[in-house]
Amino acid sequence: MLLVAGALLCSAATRPVVMGTHGMAVSGHPLAARAGVKMLEQGGNAIDAGVAQVFAQAVLEFNLFGLGGECPILIYSAKDKKVYAISGQ
């Protein structure tokens, strides 16, 4: 089972909360979080889930996205024990 949670600033009365033990996806919109969970359930990794969530969020809250946006990405490599920063500008 995977974990889906809404934005931290929203109350539990307005956002569904599901608890699990094998993964997690968090987004500002519950359907975007669900897109991330679905990607994980289909064998994708955390990066795949994150990309799925951004695409879903762009559709669900299109007023918050534009051509001049920015997408900072932090990836932790357990193998290298390093954090990599990617600028998505």
Side-chain angles (χ1 to χ4, degrees):
M1 179 178 271
L2 298 164
L3 171 72
V4 180
L8 293 176
L9 299 176
C10 296
S11 72
T14 61
R15 302 287 179 160
V17 176
V18 178
M19 299 178 71
T21 58
H22 294 0
M24 170 174 77
V26 180
S27 181
H29 195 287
L31 292 177
R34 180 65 191 124
V37 167
K38 190 168 185 173
M39 185 61 71
L40 292 172
E41 289 173 342
Q42 293 177 350
N45 59 29
I47 296 171
D48 297 329
V51 170
Q53 286 183 224
V54 169
F55 283 137
Q57 194 84 18
V59 172
L60 294 163
E61 296 183 340
F62 56 88
N63 58 317
L64 301 176
F65 287 79
L67 294 176
E70 151 183 24
C71 181
I73 303 167
L74 292 175
I75 299 174
Y76 175 74
S77 171
K79 178 182 172 186
D80 301 334
K81 296 187 173 149
K82 290 176 67 176
V83 175
Y84 295 94
I86 301 172
S87 175
Q89 292 181 327

